[in-house]
Amino acid sequence: MDLRQEQINRAVLLLGSGDVVAIPTETVYGLAAAINSKQGIENIFKLKERPFFDPLIVHISDLKQLTSFTKNVSKKELEFATAFWPGPLTIILEKADSLNPMICSGLDTVGVRMPAHPVAREIISKLDIPLAAPSANKFGKTSPTQSKHVHAEWPVNELLVVEGGESNIGIESTVVALKEGSSGYTLEIFRPGFITAEDMEKLAIWDKPLKIIYVESEKSPGHLPYHYQPKKPVVIIESDSNVLDQADLATISQKLEIDVQKYAILDLGLEAATAARELYTNLRLLSEQDIDIIIVFRSSKNSKGLWNSIWDRLNRASSLKINSIV
Ligand code: TXA
Ligand code: MG
């Protein structure tokens, strides 16, 4: 048996006995426990130092598993979700009464995702119990896209992190609810992600008018104003020129109340998929440099599609936004 297979089998055993294990997914690594383990679910919150008001996402490997923890799922909801599954889409469904309320923070809904990563899928299907899994980072901090990012927060002897290579999408799933009314469908986007509004809109399944709205809700703390924060403060400068002058630095020092001497610039490049994949790794790498702040220039051009999701994360990761006059 190879090393990876051994790790997968160990993960299945541990999860089956109620332990927490970190697993790779194509978006970010997750801190997983079986949904039927009260202890495991509690331990996720403890390990993450996560407030109980922030609901977890449940991961499945097979549609059949849905019936064990959801109810009244409509044909359209299924049709919609499976258009992107397996993949980086989380759909909000009605929860079954039997599902541990701690997973959903007391809401009557549950977020569900079928990940595409082969290791995640193999673990869930071998266990044959869905896994509740938030991103495997301390609450409010940068999400992990490599196993070593998870080990940076929890040492090897405290947590099994199943190796799955680098997450190739790199930002969290799109969280969305589908509502059907007599006059049409509404998609409520709670958290933008790799699957964009444009991707959802162009599906051939809409047989009535479709409305897409962005919801800022305390039900969806992935949407708290401060989240995903790296170790060094991130400053966003709204500017098309990518030039930083002394006046900008003075403003930043004054607003952040630190004496900014050294900074690094996060260059997002021109390709959104690459920028998403490398975003969290680059924020981590820059944080390790001998600098006071990380600067990102936001040009007025980069705001459509996947860029919108990248900027959602950067806005929440940032401590300050300024307009440059240059
Ligand atoms: O890509 C992902 O979604 C990753 C991987 C591991 O699957 N998971 C992830 O989980 O990002 P987490 O816990 O970091 O983010 C879950 C977010 C919550 O903060 C909340 O915004 C939203 O999903 N969510 C979960 N259940 C919800 C519900 N019932 N209603 C509204 N939003 C919900
Ligand atoms: Mg998270």
Side-chain angles (χ1 to χ4, degrees):
M1 210 177 349
D2 64 19
L3 215 66
R4 179 169 297 197
Q5 203 56 53
E6 224 171 88
Q7 257 199 344
I8 289 176
N9 293 347
R10 231 176 94 216
V12 173
L13 272 176
L14 287 169
L15 289 163
S17 58
D19 278 336
V20 174
V21 170
I23 62 164
T25 89
E26 73 279 20
T27 55
V28 300
Y29 276 67
L31 201 59
I35 57 168
N36 61 359
S37 167
K38 197 165 169 282
Q39 189 65 54
I41 301 299
E42 264 177 48
N43 277 340
I44 290 178
F45 284 92
K46 244 184 243 159
L47 277 167
K48 258 195 86 113
E49 296 163 22
R50 179 174 176 119
F52 287 110
F53 63 73
D54 192 356
L56 308 178
I57 291 172
V58 173
H59 299 70
I60 58 171
S61 60
D62 192 310
L63 290 179
K64 282 187 230 135
Q65 292 159 346
L66 273 180
T67 50
S68 68
F69 67 97
T70 61
K71 65 177 183 193
N72 302 328
V73 178
S74 73
K75 266 201 183 130
K76 227 8 137 192
E77 284 173 317
L78 263 187
E79 211 182 342
F80 169 68
T82 51
F84 297 107
W85 282 354
L89 182 99
T90 296
I91 185 166
I92 306 297
L93 299 172
E94 198 173 328
K95 92 184 249 303
D97 302 336
S98 57
L99 183 67
N100 181 349
M102 193 181 274
I103 293 174
C104 315
S105 306
L107 301 169
D108 50 15
T109 55
V110 56
V112 187
R113 178 164 107 79
M114 186 189 287
H117 197 294
V119 174
R121 292 173 65 73
E122 190 174 338
I123 291 172
I124 303 166
S125 74
K126 281 197 162 145
L127 184 68
D128 203 19
I129 302 169
L131 295 177
S135 52
N137 51 276
K138 295 267 168 81
F139 183 69
K141 302 295 178 202
T142 309
S143 304
T145 52
Q146 297 177 34
S147 57
K148 69 174 183 199
H149 298 163
V150 186
H151 279 312
E153 304 216 58
W154 297 283
V156 181
N157 58 354
E158 274 177 30
L159 178 72
L160 171 63
V161 183
V162 181
E163 182 53 64
E166 195 166 346
S167 300
N168 61 16
I169 284 179
I171 60 169
E172 300 81 354
S173 61
T174 306
V175 179
V176 58
L178 172 59
K179 301 272 162 67
E180 183 171 357
S182 49
S183 61
Y185 300 103
T186 307
L187 281 173
E188 297 177 339
I189 301 182
F190 286 96
R191 180 177 71 182
F194 189 77
I195 308 283
T196 63
E198 292 84 342
D199 296 331
M200 298 188 255
E201 193 170 17
K202 68 178 183 222
L203 291 177
I205 64 169
W206 309 120
D207 47 15
K208 286 189 274 192
L210 171 70
K211 206 167 74 187
I212 299 183
I213 54 175
Y214 289 88
V215 186
E216 291 272 339
S217 161
E218 41 179 57
K219 279 196 244 167
S220 201
H223 247 187
L224 286 173
Y226 292 108
H227 218 76
Y228 316 107
Q229 293 201 320
K231 291 201 173 111
K232 296 279 167 71
V234 173
V235 177
I236 296 175
I237 302 184
E238 310 266 0
S239 152
D240 281 330
S241 70
N242 284 16
V243 180
L244 186 76
D245 64 10
Q246 280 308 320
D248 292 329
L249 277 183
T251 308
I252 295 167
S253 292
Q254 187 210 347
K255 294 220 160 138
L256 286 182
E257 295 177 5
I258 52 175
D259 180 22
V260 177
Q261 298 284 345
K262 290 181 256 177
Y263 60 87
I265 292 175
L266 170 62
D267 181 4
L268 294 171
L270 296 173
E271 240 258 316
T274 310
R277 186 183 320 120
E278 294 174 352
L279 179 67
Y280 292 140
T281 295
N282 285 339
L283 286 174
R284 280 169 198 273
L285 287 175
L286 293 178
S287 285
E288 280 157 23
Q289 288 185 13
D290 176 27
I291 52 160
D292 305 307
I293 57 166
I294 299 169
I295 285 174
V296 201
F297 289 102
R298 175 166 194 167
S299 99
S300 50
K301 281 167 256 153
N302 279 355
S303 59
K304 284 221 183 73
L306 183 52
W307 284 112
N308 180 46
S309 309
I310 293 168
W311 281 104
D312 171 81
R313 302 303 189 273
L314 276 168
N315 278 325
R316 292 169 209 287
S318 72
S319 303
L320 177 69
K321 297 174 196 73
I322 63 166
N323 275 307
S324 180
I325 10 87
V326 189

